[in-house]
Amino acid sequence: MGSASTPQQAGARRRRRLSADDWARAALAAIGEGGVAAVAVEPIAARLGATKGSFYWHFRDRRALLEAALRCWEREQTEAVIDAMEAEPDLVRRLRRLFASAIEGERRDPAELTLLAAAGDPAVDAVMRRVTDRRISYMARVFEDLGLPPATARSHALIAYNAYLGYLQLAHAAPEVLPRGQAARRRYLGDLVTALLPAS
Amino acid sequence: MGSASTPQQAGARRRRRLSADDWARAALAAIGEGGVAAVAVEPIAARLGATKGSFYWHFRDRRALLEAALRCWEREQTEAVIDAMEAEPDLVRRLRRLFASAIEGERRDPAELTLLAAAGDPAVDAVMRRVTDRRISYMARVFEDLGLPPATARSHALIAYNAYLGYLQLAHAAPEVLPRGQAARRRYLGDLVTALLPAS
DNA sequence: ACCTGAACACCGTTCAAGT
DNA sequence: ACCTGAACACCGTTCAAGT
């Protein structure tokens, strides 16, 4: 790719100095495109118009970059989503929104499946544990706010999240096995969760 | 197959000549231990006491080795399990056995989670699609044999498998969130599936 | 402070040469 | 037929040297 150097002049929007956050975001984008394995220093450096050597000023090693990318994802896909939900005062509608956003997430968050996928990597596992716990706890709290006793709220949230995870996996592993069409799938997950929530 | 006379001398090293199957099994073992990324030619060659060059006599490239390992897994964990189930004539007990073996599989088949994990790799995706379809179809047939109409049988199987996948994922991503203990977990999955199978 | 460029180790792949 | 050993490319990591 590299023709004559011309170090000062850069194509596109390649700025001179990079922050650790620039690297982390580029890594997160790479995860969405090619999975955890795509977090590779050299290609990302090339993409950012820098050298590998530069990378090691900002991060200790590849793993630290992975972890930073995962923290970005955690913030955006869990904390930010939960914050957005709080804007909806009607609790039942809030739950519906939550499910809807999770389903549409199939398209909007290519990283999620990829990360579920990367189970086994210690860095990934740590984030997944936090995120899983945070999401289930949040759902349980909404169920509690709806009037369910804490233990019931918790078990409903657990079961719903269990159903969601299996659905995500199925949708990826064997999509032709699921109902076809966005609407039909939403109904499927709705039915699934409804079946799981007798008291709801 | 068909072992030719293997002229070998007992020694600290492995036998002199390796078959493609030897490589495939070593690769499957590696997957169980370190995930798909652990399917690396050089370390596996070392483990087998051969050189990398030797590997390329048996396989076109690393990916072909991965695919061979996945076929081993598919045969052992899907076809062999289904064959074993057929030995149980009582259909309800057959289903119970199926679930029990899936749960215990958490321990016995380290590859399964790792493979669910590797979603995104084309070779892995292809096998997962086949295995998913095979398992759901098999369960659907048992439900049909139990007297359910085909469409109902299919949707029950789908829902049960959905629950199973989510459970596996949860058990790995956040085990502390699930009921503790083998018995309690089996009850949890039982309840989950029962809740999902109103007509059963 | 931030970055380059060369260096080295490791793994995938090829290949000429051995048995 | 089956394997070795050297070779090369690619990526992770280090480091001395540049601005």
Side-chain angles (χ1 to χ4, degrees):
Chain A
M1 275 288 208
S3 45
S5 330
T6 24
Q8 186 70 326
Q9 194 118 327
R13 29 156 42 205
R14 172 191 308 175
R15 40 184 155 134
R16 223 76 270 293
R17 305 248 136 160
L18 296 165
S19 67
D21 203 58
D22 291 326
W23 286 93
R25 291 192 177 285
L28 182 52
I31 289 177
E33 289 162 24
V36 170
V39 178
V41 178
E42 196 162 59
I44 292 182
R47 195 143 117 175
L48 290 172
T51 62
K52 295 190 285 181
S54 158
F55 166 80
Y56 286 90
W57 172 259
H58 298 286
F59 294 91
R60 197 173 145 206
D61 54 18
R62 176 188 174 276
R63 188 190 157 123
L65 174 61
L66 214 204
E67 284 168 351
L70 294 174
R71 276 194 302 272
C72 282
W73 176 76
E74 183 174 16
R75 205 182 318 119
E76 288 170 8
Q77 292 305 128
T78 297
E79 299 309 326
V81 166
I82 286 178
D83 286 352
M85 290 304 141
E86 294 294 308
E88 170 61 64
D90 182 299
L91 294 173
V92 171
R93 296 181 66 178
R94 192 188 289 178
L95 281 178
R96 283 220 192 88
R97 262 210 206 175
L98 205 51
F99 288 117
S101 87
I103 293 282
E104 280 148 26
E106 278 178 62
R107 281 210 212 121
R108 278 192 323 216
D109 182 18
E112 170 126 16
L113 246 187
T114 266
L115 289 175
L116 279 171
D121 182 304
V124 174
D125 286 353
V127 188
M128 291 320 266
R129 205 178 333 268
R130 283 203 303 274
V131 166
T132 299
D133 194 68
R134 183 83 174 92
R135 287 172 170 175
I136 292 174
S137 297
Y138 175 71
M139 276 182 52
R141 224 205 59 219
V142 180
F143 281 125
E144 273 193 63
D145 290 347
L146 278 168
L148 297 183
T152 311
R154 174 109 195 141
S155 96
H156 282 195
L158 180 56
I159 281 173
Y161 198 68
N162 186 334
Y164 164 69
L165 284 180
Y167 171 82
L168 264 197
Q169 207 72 54
L170 264 183
H172 183 258
E176 72 282 357
V177 113
L178 289 171
R180 275 177 293 276
Q182 176 96 331
R185 291 205 180 179
R186 192 176 303 199
R187 218 181 309 118
Y188 171 78
L189 196 69
D191 290 353
L192 210 168
V193 172
T194 302
L196 290 165
L197 302 177
S200 152
Chain B
M1 303 315 190
S3 55
S5 62
T6 48
Q8 61 181 47
Q9 53 193 67
R13 303 277 152 95
R14 306 281 174 143
R15 42 193 153 139
R16 222 93 255 295
R17 305 247 138 162
L18 296 165
S19 68
D21 203 58
D22 291 326
W23 286 92
R25 293 194 177 283
L28 182 52
I31 290 177
E33 289 161 25
V36 171
V39 178
V41 178
E42 195 161 57
I44 292 181
R47 195 142 117 175
L48 290 173
T51 62
K52 296 190 286 181
S54 158
F55 166 80
Y56 286 91
W57 172 259
H58 297 286
F59 294 93
R60 197 173 145 205
D61 54 18
R62 175 189 175 275
R63 188 192 158 121
L65 175 61
L66 214 204
E67 285 168 350
L70 294 173
R71 275 193 303 272
C72 282
W73 176 77
E74 183 175 15
R75 206 182 318 120
E76 289 169 7
Q77 293 305 128
T78 298
E79 299 309 327
V81 166
I82 286 179
D83 286 352
M85 290 305 140
E86 292 294 308
E88 169 62 64
D90 182 299
L91 293 173
V92 171
R93 298 181 65 178
R94 193 188 287 177
L95 281 178
R96 283 219 193 90
R97 262 209 204 174
L98 206 49
F99 287 118
S101 86
I103 292 281
E104 281 149 26
E106 278 179 61
R107 282 209 211 120
R108 279 193 320 217
D109 182 16
E112 169 125 17
L113 246 187
T114 264
L115 290 175
L116 279 171
D121 182 306
V124 174
D125 287 353
V127 188
M128 292 318 266
R129 205 180 331 272
R130 283 202 303 273
V131 166
T132 299
D133 194 67
R134 184 82 174 92
R135 288 171 170 177
I136 292 175
S137 297
Y138 175 71
M139 276 182 54
R141 224 204 60 217
V142 179
F143 280 124
E144 273 193 64
D145 290 348
L146 277 168
L148 297 183
T152 310
R154 174 110 193 139
S155 96
H156 282 197
L158 181 56
I159 281 174
Y161 199 67
N162 186 334
Y164 163 68
L165 285 180
Y167 170 83
L168 264 196
Q169 208 73 53
L170 264 183
H172 182 257
E176 73 282 357
V177 113
L178 289 172
R180 275 177 294 275
Q182 175 97 331
R185 290 205 180 180
R186 192 177 302 199
R187 216 180 310 118
Y188 170 78
L189 196 69
D191 290 353
L192 210 168
V193 171
T194 302
L196 289 166
L197 301 178
S200 151

